[in-house]
Amino acid sequence: MTKLTELEKEKAITCVYYVAKKFECDTCKLEIAYDKLGRYDEEYDKALAHAKETQEFYSNLAQKLKEVL
């Protein structure tokens, strides 16, 4: 098995952090839209929960990659 170079390791970690930040931005956009709605909406709640869970997953994955690589 071929080992990753330092540059490849950094790029892989950066890509995972990028995805985490994308979901963080999505969460903010959803929160703004939900606030403008001004009432409870189950679909927004589900979408917000999913975006937060996904952002947390990718953040944790990036941390683990940093430790492993």
Side-chain angles (χ1 to χ4, degrees):
M1 180 177 198
T2 307
K3 294 195 178 214
L4 295 173
T5 65
E6 288 302 313
L7 180 61
E8 290 170 330
K9 291 176 187 179
E10 288 300 316
K11 285 186 175 187
I13 293 167
T14 301
C15 287
V16 175
Y17 271 124
Y18 175 81
V19 173
K21 287 297 181 183
K22 179 199 174 298
F23 280 101
E24 188 177 332
C25 290
D26 290 350
T27 300
C28 290
K29 289 176 186 176
L30 283 168
E31 287 174 343
I32 290 168
Y34 196 7
D35 284 344
K36 286 182 180 179
L37 187 61
R39 61 179 170 79
Y40 173 78
D41 187 282
E42 186 177 350
E43 293 302 315
Y44 272 110
D45 272 352
K46 287 180 183 179
L48 277 169
H50 179 263
K52 288 177 182 178
E53 288 171 6
T54 306
Q55 186 268 333
E56 184 178 342
F57 170 79
Y58 281 106
S59 291
N60 291 338
L61 179 61
Q63 287 296 326
K64 290 176 184 178
L65 283 174
K66 275 179 111 172
E67 293 172 12
V68 171
L69 299 177

